[in-house]
Amino acid sequence: MCIRDSHKVIEYYSAGEQPTCQGPLGREIEQINAAPTALAERKALQVLLQQLTQVEHIPLEDIVLLSPVGKERSYFPDGFRLGGFHLNWQLGGSPQRNALTCCSIYAFKGLERAVVILAELDKIQHTAEREQLIYVAFSRAKQHLILLGNVPMTEG
């Protein structure tokens, strides 16, 4: 399965021949307006998790929160509680009850989940590796990519 807006993912691909979608189309990329603050993004994530798990019945183990920064600098620290959910920065092992897996984009390279929530977009640095980082983040979703906030525009 691949996300419906795959052309938005390809915008950030820069290595050789462009990949093509190899499965049925998933959902369109969803963007949730959230101010780039810890409070706003946490509130948006809590509401989103309730929607995904309670209304859409998506198992929490099928969802991952990706950040351009590690747990030490994240708005979403390990063990933090969001209503009935808590955040877990450990990949692998048995899924914990009511725990959302969180990970840096770099550490999640090569992995996938059905639903990827990309947060802390304001922390994406304008570096030479910026487009690669965004491509990796965007291409981890098998069915649904959700952006909390806006991807910063390229400088210049």
Side-chain angles (χ1 to χ4, degrees), residues 4-131:
R4 189 171 300 277
D5 294 336
S6 60
H7 65 280
K8 290 183 182 176
V9 176
I10 297 301
E11 284 179 31
Y12 297 99
Y13 185 78
S14 61
E17 187 176 328
Q18 292 185 350
T20 57
C21 180
Q22 296 296 316
L25 291 178
R27 295 171 63 168
E28 291 185 17
I29 295 173
E30 183 177 350
Q31 186 164 356
I32 296 175
N33 291 326
T37 66
L39 182 62
E41 287 198 30
R42 288 173 181 165
K43 179 64 179 164
L45 179 60
Q46 182 178 348
V47 170
L48 176 60
L49 289 175
Q50 290 171 338
Q51 171 68 28
L52 292 172
T53 61
Q54 296 172 14
V55 177
E56 298 182 32
H57 304 289
I58 298 171
L60 201 53
E61 60 267 14
D62 289 347
I63 304 169
V64 68
L65 175 80
L66 296 183
S67 172
V69 298
K71 64 182 173 182
E72 299 80 21
R73 293 182 39 221
S74 178
Y75 295 151
F76 304 97
D78 194 36
F80 189 82
R81 296 199 68 79
L82 290 169
F85 306 100
H86 67 275
L87 308 179
N88 179 11
W89 280 78
Q90 294 180 348
L91 284 177
S94 299
Q96 296 179 15
R97 191 176 196 293
N98 295 326
L100 173 67
T101 300
C102 302
C103 191
S104 72
I105 296 166
Y106 282 120
F108 207 71
K109 187 174 182 177
L111 301 174
E112 296 178 320
R113 288 281 168 90
V115 178
V116 171
I117 302 166
L118 183 56
E120 303 182 283
L121 298 171
D122 61 304
K123 295 180 180 180
I124 295 176
Q125 301 295 313
H126 291 282
T127 64
E129 297 84 25
R130 177 185 178 280
E131 278 72 26

Side-chain angles (χ1 to χ4, degrees), residues 134-146:
I134 295 171
Y135 172 76
V136 169
F138 279 24
S139 62
R140 303 303 89 201
K142 291 195 288 186
Q143 297 173 348
H144 192 185
L145 173 64
I146 303 167

